[in-house]
Amino acid sequence: METPSRSILYTPEGRKLLRRHKGIVKEFLFARRLLISIKKGARGKMDVVIGPMRVERFFSDGDMHDYLYRVKMEGKVFFIKEQGEGKEAFQPDSDFADAQMKTLSRASVALRRMKGVKVAQYHLAWRSGNRSFLVTDFYEGEKLVDGMGVFTEPFAHGKWKGVQLRAHDVIRRLEPYFSDAHTSNMIYDPVRDKLILFDLRPKQNR
């Protein structure tokens, strides 16, 4: 069974998860390999059940990550982002999962006084070969902008128009320190009235 090749980084919550389910990372990597072998190169979504986990894989057309996973376990839902060298826009110094954890932590500190804003809560990060995996909470929400970077109707003219101002305020606060502080890296959770941020990169020499 595949094993992580670097030390696993974790938060206190991530550590509790690892203690409750010893070998959970190996089991996820096994589920990943199984999904790839079932329909290698397929698009859309697929899922398998391994131990306590239901793992669902989504193909990504993004220029940074290869696959995205939704993992259901213990009544909770997690999001796992797989990245690796080979993607044109991939930057090892900032895009490997361990670096992503540090970046999200810095962003959380920078936005700690803002209401209605949340940086994706991370739990685990590890590497396996030249692949990198970051585990966060899974968030349901609405995309602010379309593929062209234009605000969608609810945010441009509709019921969530005021969220635009909040998003621009977030960008102003993060831009001096993060290069990917864009509306394309945000979703809006209307139930909790929160903007959720993800996929940030630190600016060089910051």
Side-chain angles (χ1 to χ4, degrees):
M1 188 176 286
E2 191 174 357
T3 58
S5 59
R6 298 280 183 97
S7 296
I8 300 175
L9 301 179
Y10 47 76
T11 63
E13 184 63 30
R15 186 177 185 179
K16 291 178 184 177
L17 185 65
L18 292 172
R19 284 180 170 178
R20 286 196 303 270
H21 299 284
K22 296 186 184 301
I24 197 71
V25 172
K26 292 182 182 179
E27 289 181 353
F28 166 76
L29 291 173
F30 177 73
R32 168 188 173 270
R33 290 185 65 186
L34 184 59
L35 285 166
I36 292 174
S37 68
I38 292 172
K39 286 188 177 180
K40 189 170 184 179
R43 302 201 174 208
K45 61 182 182 181
M46 298 160 280
D47 67 336
V48 297
V49 176
I50 301 291
M53 297 182 296
R54 177 178 292 276
V55 183
E56 186 176 8
R57 187 187 74 169
F58 301 86
F59 181 86
S60 172
D61 285 318
D63 58 1
M64 280 179 54
H65 38 70
D66 296 309
Y67 294 105
L68 308 174
Y69 304 85
R70 178 166 54 190
V71 177
K72 296 181 180 180
M73 183 174 65
E74 295 185 331
K76 296 183 179 180
V77 186
F78 301 97
F79 177 83
I80 300 181
K81 178 172 63 175
E82 176 183 349
Q83 295 179 274
E85 295 172 309
K87 284 287 187 178
E88 183 178 352
F90 186 80
Q91 298 177 11
D93 290 343
S94 57
D95 292 338
F96 274 127
D98 49 349
Q100 279 279 296
M101 281 185 69
K102 294 175 183 177
T103 299
L104 292 174
S105 177
R106 288 182 59 200
S108 295
V109 171
L111 297 173
R112 66 186 180 279
R113 298 184 187 280
M114 278 196 74
K115 294 182 178 180
V117 178
K118 183 176 180 61
V119 177
Q121 178 59 56
Y122 53 86
H123 298 292
L124 301 169
W126 75 88
R127 297 190 201 180
S128 180
N130 67 346
R131 313 307 298 164
S132 169
F133 301 86
L134 176 68
V135 181
T136 71
D137 285 336
F138 185 88
Y139 299 96
E140 299 282 359
E142 305 288 336
K143 292 182 178 180
L144 274 67
V145 295
D146 60 21
M148 301 296 291
V150 178
F151 279 102
T152 58
E153 179 61 25
F155 299 101
H157 308 290
K159 57 184 176 180
W160 297 324
K161 186 176 179 180
V163 176
Q164 268 200 59
L165 298 177
R166 197 187 314 172
H168 288 310
D169 191 18
V170 168
I171 291 171
R172 281 194 296 272
R173 294 191 186 204
L174 294 183
E175 241 178 356
Y177 310 101
F178 302 92
S179 61
D180 278 9
H182 305 141
T183 49
S184 58
N185 287 336
M186 303 179 193
I187 60 172
Y188 176 63
D189 178 352
V191 176
R192 296 176 177 81
D193 186 28
K194 283 189 181 292
L195 280 174
I196 313 296
L197 282 76
F198 48 90
D199 283 351
L200 295 170
R201 282 174 172 159
K203 284 191 174 178
Q204 297 299 319
N205 302 320
R206 284 287 186 176

